[in-house]
Amino acid sequence: MIGRPGRFLSAMLLLGAVSGVVRGNLTPIRRHDLWSTDAGFPGGYVYAITQTADGYIWVGSSKGLIRFDGRSFVTIHQRDSNPDTRLSVWGLLTDSDDQLWAIDDHTHVFRYSADQLVGPLPDNDKHRYRLIPLVARTRKGQLLFGSAAQGLVEYDHGSAHVLLDPSLMPNLPTAVAQTADGTFWIGTEGLGVFRVRLINDLPEVQNIAATTNTRINCFLPIGESTLLVGTVKGLLTLNKGHLTEQRNSELRNHEILALTQGKAGNIWIGTEDQALRASGGDIGRDDQIHSLDHVDATGSVTALFEDRDGDLWVGGAEKIARYRDSGFTSYLSSLGLPCANCGAIYADHQDRVWFAPWDGGLFRLSQGSIQPIEFAGLKDDTVYSIIGGSEDEVWLGRKYGGITRLMLSGGAPRASTYTRRDGLAQDSVSAIYRASDGTVWAGTVSGGLSRLRGGKWHTFTTRDGLPSNTVSVVTGNASGEIFVGTPKGLAILKNNHWLIYAARDGLPPGTIESMFVDGSGIVWMGTTKGISFFQSGTVHVPLGAPKALYEEILGIAENDGWLWMATLDHVMRVRRTALLKQFFDESDYREFGIADGLPSSEGVKRSSSVVKDYRNRIWFSLNRGISLLQPAAFATPAFPATIHLDAILVDGRVLPPHENRIPAGQHRFTFRYSSVNVPNPDSVRYRYRLDRVDQMLNEPTTLREIDYTNVPPGQFRFHVMARNPDGVWSEEASTKPFEVEAAYWQTYWFQASCLVGVVLIVFGVHRLRLGQMAHRLNLGLEARVSERTRIARELHDTLLQSLHGLLFRSQAARNLFPRRPEEAMEALDQAIARTEQAIAESQDAITDLRPPAAASSDLGELLMATGKELETTQNPDGTGATFAFTVEGERQTLSPILQEEVYRIGLELLRNAFRHACARRVETEVRYDDEQLRVRVRDDGKGMDPEVLKKGRRPGHWGLLGAKERAQRIGAHLDIWSEAGVGTEIQLRIPATVAYENSHDKPRFRFFRRATDHGKRL
């Protein structure tokens, strides 16, 4: 068994046995979007493509002028034309004023304005069908137009200026251009290239390059005076009057249909079967294009355009395609990459990419070819970590095989492996780091941290100060300090002494999954609970950061002030200074996904899953593929999204653009809006506000339609803004004013009138109520005055007269005593009897003045108590009457005043029955009916004298008359039945609405009811 690392150095393996079989070429993808008629493209043969400053993509086709906002295609029609009529647009151009011009197949020129084509512009009225229009931009950015019938015309800010008369035009012109030196060039059907110079505003036309029987399709000016010429037989270069044929086989004998140039100097070439890219700087002194990149385009390429985002648009028959230049170059598992989860990744100085799939093995990607690395047991092992060494050296941390060092220089690769037998702490190595002095640090799964220096291993464990023997990531800085991430915190080896930082020091709890040391020495740590950083001896956790930054951070790298990170479901970048200052603007953070060219947004759990190479490119190992980010990618913010308010719907009906007044009523308002963000429309966020309804702009949302209900009458303005993926909001909000008309009952005059009316009604009700209360008070006072008058009258008629009579009788008896004593004694006996009668009458009067024993008691209880008290009274014949009392019906609550009046009436009736009827039995009945309250008093006495019934009272007695008066005051009926020798029955009937406090038949507004009813009869 080999026990020392030197014994593992081996050179006996040949390259074929070492590296395995090359798996073939792997081509990185550029995201490709294709729109055919099935995908919403209106169709037709595409002749031209351009873009305006608001972001719209415009397509000129045989089916008309088509506008694209990133989501949908809209056909633009000519003003005042039949909507079914479609203008065939052969030429399309935007000038320096961002004015869009369109030329049809009759060489008419149209100007785009307000969703319509305006024109045609005035010209010499010489037009022929299918006459090829010549369209280009002058060096000043204006429209250059030409045809065999119109000549050569420059439209300077919309004003036509004829440069070349039709009579001087070469025969069968097919293409036109102007180079930076001011020279105009005209291509023809088979006569070659003509040069047009203006000398003192006079044109000079010269055929300088004859191409016999060769049709010229297109021109592309390059530099000061060079011209690329696309013909049916290939691509030519015209320089200093000399035509040069391209030697590249893909540019010879292939018809060149379209040429265009991009912002970064890219030259795009469209042929009958493909699209090619060349660099303007790659054209040599021999006027040859030496290198080409291919675009995966199929079919004839009839139109090419590179938009402001660097994406290439390709037009053909019945379709249009876009090829993204998103900045991410991706290798997909679905297109030949031998792994879905490619694990750890490393890019060396020879532009080779090493990756170790999650399920085992090691692969190398070089110049589009993938090679499996199968020696040293790597085929059957899993590599956890990959780092670089010297110029041509790779170090591998393995799951089972310890550490392997690959040396790739000098022909066949060599390998040396270190295991536990060589002094390594454990054969399962989770993280590896090589310092600038050549020291190798190996973090193990559970055995601590091992250091290889001078050929010797030394291990650090918890006994030496490590917080845990499980090491997840290792890195270091230029000062030689070593940073070790573990599940229990951060360990720093400084001056041979371990410093520990854990949760108590501000570090988020959980495992440190990734670490990165930036150029200023700040250590950035990705933990299971988000991002943190170590600076000046202190651990910091940024506050107020976007939510994704508090997820598990699996990888970190930096480029040009941005930290790029991967989590389990996000790939994102955040401005480094924003994290340090803990202040975040919307433009400081952005997330990326499949729409940006990534295979997915799911990171992988490896300490080296996001790495930066020597060319400042960042490599991402992701689920379903590997992505490469170029240094200049996304360096400048994306263009602001242009917001457009598409429609307002009122109760589902589209409101015409010119209509701003909505009829009165309760409506449902639907606002539909969209943004012009062709590269990534789904990433746009919107904020909106409706004046007088919303206090401020709402929170950003992806919704492109919002509803409002219960909008009151008045004038309103709806505002909406859009934000692009980089957090840049549209410069101006799109607004729409409108007015909701008021119904008559919503107008100010009506509301004011109603208010005045309500005030008057309240005032009137108040006055009425006061009057009723005063009336009731007066009635009460009148009742009490009448009662006291009656009592005074009774006292005068009874008690006072009796006392006067007693006085006279006593005086008479005194006068008789001396002469006739016997008559005097008889007179005294009569006086005594009369005195007893006066006392009884006084008691009755006092009883009338005294209130009931308990005014709040039940009426039945009061009447029953009174009857029991009177039961002791003797009839004139010396016999006494018995008393019986009954109650029928459900007891109801009576008002205290009414109850007192009813009790007084009942008292008078009972007293008359007991004292004057000579009855043997007196009965009282109280009956609570739904319609009325009834009180009956009956006796079996001698009955009432018919004369008394007729007059309503006995001479000298007022009790029955008083009962009748009380009944009238409370709106009741008093019914009397009597017959001599049989007895008497008297019934008091009171309506329920008067008697009961909670009567179901009471009027809703009781205060409108009269308190008394003088019209009721007895």
Side-chain angles (χ1 to χ4, degrees), residues 133-137 144-147 152-153 169 173-178 184-188 196 216-221 227:
L134 315 178
V135 183
R137 293 183 66 167
L144 180 63
F145 165 71
S147 72
L152 192 61
V153 182
M169 285 288 289
T174 56
V176 66
Q178 184 182 26
F184 295 95
W185 304 89
I186 299 175
T188 62
V196 179
I216 295 174
N217 292 325
C218 50
F219 285 147
L220 180 62
L227 197 66

Side-chain angles (χ1 to χ4, degrees), residues 608-653:
S608 54
S609 62
V610 179
V611 297
K612 184 177 179 180
D613 67 14
Y614 76 102
R615 293 168 59 181
N616 292 324
R617 300 176 300 179
I618 298 179
W619 293 83
F620 295 85
S621 180
L622 303 170
N623 192 18
R624 294 195 290 274
I626 295 174
S627 290
L628 167 64
L629 178 69
Q630 297 293 341
F634 308 108
T636 57
F639 287 89
T642 302
I643 187 67
H644 180 67
L645 189 58
D646 299 326
I648 299 179
L649 281 73
V650 181
D651 299 328
R653 182 184 67 87

Side-chain angles (χ1 to χ4, degrees), residues 502-520:
R504 64 179 178 273
D505 304 298
L507 188 69
T511 302
I512 299 176
E513 301 282 2
S514 56
M515 282 198 297
F516 170 76
V517 182
D518 66 19
S520 63

Side-chain angles (χ1 to χ4, degrees), residues 296-316:
D296 186 22
T298 58
S300 296
V301 178
T302 59
L304 290 169
F305 177 73
E306 184 182 291
D307 66 18
R308 63 187 186 181
D309 297 293
D311 296 338
L312 176 67
W313 294 81
V314 179

Side-chain angles (χ1 to χ4, degrees), residues 689-721:
R689 174 175 178 252
L690 181 61
D691 289 348
R692 298 180 56 201
V693 175
D694 300 317
Q695 296 296 323
M696 60 184 66
L697 287 168
N698 289 270
E699 291 299 314
T701 177
T702 58
L703 297 176
R704 295 188 295 114
E705 181 176 295
I706 192 68
D707 292 335
Y708 284 89
T709 56
N710 299 324
V711 177
Q715 294 183 346
F716 298 88
R717 184 178 293 270
F718 181 75
H719 308 256
V720 61
M721 301 179 68

